[in-house]
Amino acid sequence: MIRRTRPRDAVSAAWEFVQGGERGKYLRDTASAALKAAKSADTAAAREAAWAAVSAAGAAYLHPLAKATQVKHILGAGAYAARAAELVADDDRRVGAEHLEQTVRRATPVVVDVLKRFPAAPSGGGRVGELTRMLDAGLRSLTFVE
């Protein structure tokens, strides 16, 4: 039972951070525990869902260097979650695309502003990389009225 809560704990820690919580040991520890859960997952969908949790907690550790590889820190949680949803739906890519559309609709101006400070998502990375680039393009296309 503890094993199943590790990714959930990482997501909870990420939410705490977003709401003004500390970027410290608890966040790192929960991300590390979710990584262990990803590595020991019984199914591909569970592994990708755990990676989404790792990415959510790891987003707090985005480096200020404007490198394309850092974009994975911003978008990884959404891309891995979309891939997990696809796998649960018998690898239906429409499900992943729908998940990304919902993610784009929920994006805040702050997330888009931070993303636009970095180069576009890099090539490679298999299906998760493809989903990352799709999410990247969707978010970069947004404009917000002040």
Side-chain angles (χ1 to χ4, degrees):
M1 185 61 130
I2 293 172
R3 184 181 200 167
R4 291 184 178 166
T5 66
R6 292 185 292 189
R8 184 172 296 147
D9 292 344
V11 171
S12 294
W15 273 113
E16 286 177 28
F17 173 75
V18 167
Q19 296 169 345
E22 183 180 333
R23 184 180 90 159
K25 185 175 178 353
Y26 179 65
L27 192 58
R28 285 190 308 275
D29 289 350
T30 58
S32 178
L35 177 60
K36 289 177 185 173
K39 290 179 178 180
S40 65
D42 295 335
T43 67
R47 181 184 63 245
E48 300 299 330
W51 271 109
V54 172
S55 296
Y61 295 95
L62 176 68
H63 297 288
L65 304 174
K67 293 185 177 182
T69 53
Q70 290 298 305
V71 172
K72 293 186 291 184
H73 288 291
I74 302 167
L75 305 177
Y80 280 110
R83 182 62 182 141
E86 286 179 347
L87 291 168
V88 168
D90 294 325
D91 209 8
D92 185 344
R93 291 181 175 220
R94 292 173 300 175
V95 171
E98 290 169 10
H99 182 66
L100 294 181
E101 288 172 15
Q102 290 176 10
T103 302
V104 169
R105 282 195 303 271
R106 293 180 179 137
T108 65
V110 171
V111 170
V112 174
D113 179 57
V114 169
L115 177 65
K116 287 182 176 181
R117 295 177 193 178
F118 291 82
S123 62
R127 180 62 179 156
V128 172
E130 185 178 342
L131 290 164
T132 301
R133 289 185 293 281
M134 290 168 61
L135 181 55
D136 187 39
L139 291 170
R140 288 177 191 273
S141 72
L142 294 178
T143 55
F144 295 93
V145 179
E146 291 183 32

